[in-house]
Amino acid sequence: MTDLEKYAWAESVASYDAGVYTFVKGGVRSEVLSLFHCWEEDLKLVPITDVPWGDGGETFISLMPQKRHEWLVIGEHGTYFRGFQLLAELSRGRSVLMVALPQINPFIQVAVDGEIVRSFNAWSLYDPVGALPEEAGLPFGSTAGTVATFAFIERLTGHVMTQQWMLGPCETARARSEPPH
C-alpha cells in the first residue's frame, strides 16, 4: 500500500477536524504541557468528540497517545491555538512539526533549534521552493493536500496517523491562564 492509499480516509476527517497537532521530538511531557498552560492534575481521558469547542478564547489540550517514544504529540482544539506562539521556544535544541487542520487546507510548519525551517499550505498556495526531502513525490498543492500532509507526518516523525488515534480517547484538559495553586 502506498503512502497515499494508506491515508485516503483523511479527506473525510479533515473537513471537521479543526485542530492543531504539534509533534515535539525529545519533548519532556511536564515541560511541554506547562508551555501550553496545561497541568498533569487536570488531564482526564476523553474522546475528542466529547471535547467542547470552546468560545471566547478557550482551548483544550490533548496529550495524544504516543506510538513512537521520541516524539511527544500535543493536540489543540478550540478557538485559540497557543502552539503557533510557542513554535520557536518548543524547538530550541530539538525538532518540532506543527500541523494545523483548518477545514481542507492544512498548514504545516517545521522548526529546528528555535528557527522555522519550512512553512507551507498543503493544498492552496503550495510553494515547493525550499521543500524538505520528505515532501518529495507527495501531491501538495492539489485537492489531495490532506492525504499528502498525513504521509508527510509519517515520513518526518515515523508516526502513522489513524482515525482512532485522532479521535482518542486522549488525556485532555482545558488550558488555564495560570498554573494551579
Side-chain angles (χ1 to χ4, degrees):
M1 180 182 301
T2 68
D3 288 349
L4 301 179
E5 291 170 335
K6 183 189 311 182
Y7 293 113
W9 60 268
E11 290 299 334
S12 63
V13 168
S15 64
Y16 63 82
D17 185 342
V20 174
Y21 295 92
T22 303
F23 297 76
V24 183
K25 187 172 188 176
V28 176
R29 178 180 163 119
S30 59
E31 175 187 313
V32 171
L33 284 172
S34 69
L35 287 172
F36 280 90
H37 291 182
C38 187
W39 286 267
E40 293 282 346
E41 62 259 28
D42 295 336
L43 293 170
K44 304 222 179 327
L45 205 56
V46 177
I48 294 302
T49 53
D50 290 350
V51 172
W53 294 93
D55 54 15
E58 279 188 326
T59 298
F60 288 83
I61 303 300
S62 298
L63 186 63
M64 307 302 290
Q66 292 175 263
K67 293 188 177 186
R68 296 182 56 96
H69 298 291
E70 67 267 21
W71 291 87
L72 181 71
V73 186
I74 298 289
E76 292 180 88
H77 292 86
T79 56
Y80 175 74
F81 302 112
R82 185 167 173 73
F84 288 107
Q85 289 76 38
L86 295 173
L87 191 56
E89 185 174 356
L90 282 168
S91 70
R92 285 197 190 103
R94 57 185 160 232
S95 299
V96 173
L97 166 64
M98 181 178 289
V99 178
L101 297 172
Q103 303 299 318
I104 59 170
N105 190 20
F107 179 68
I108 299 168
Q109 290 186 301
V110 179
V112 178
D113 248 349
E115 299 290 326
I116 296 174
V117 297
R118 184 76 171 115
S119 182
F120 63 96
N121 285 307
W123 187 55
S124 67
L125 306 174
Y126 174 73
D127 185 355
V129 173
L132 299 173
E134 293 84 1
E135 292 174 57
L138 294 176
F140 288 118
S142 73
T143 56
T146 303
V147 171
T149 297
F150 287 9
F152 178 73
I153 290 168
E154 182 177 353
R155 288 180 180 183
L156 195 66
T157 69
H159 180 84
V160 177
M161 301 290 287
T162 67
Q163 286 177 295
Q164 179 60 44
W165 179 83
M166 291 177 76
L167 296 175
C170 307
E171 293 180 276
T172 302
R174 183 187 317 260
R176 296 184 187 209
S177 57
E178 296 181 21
H181 299 15

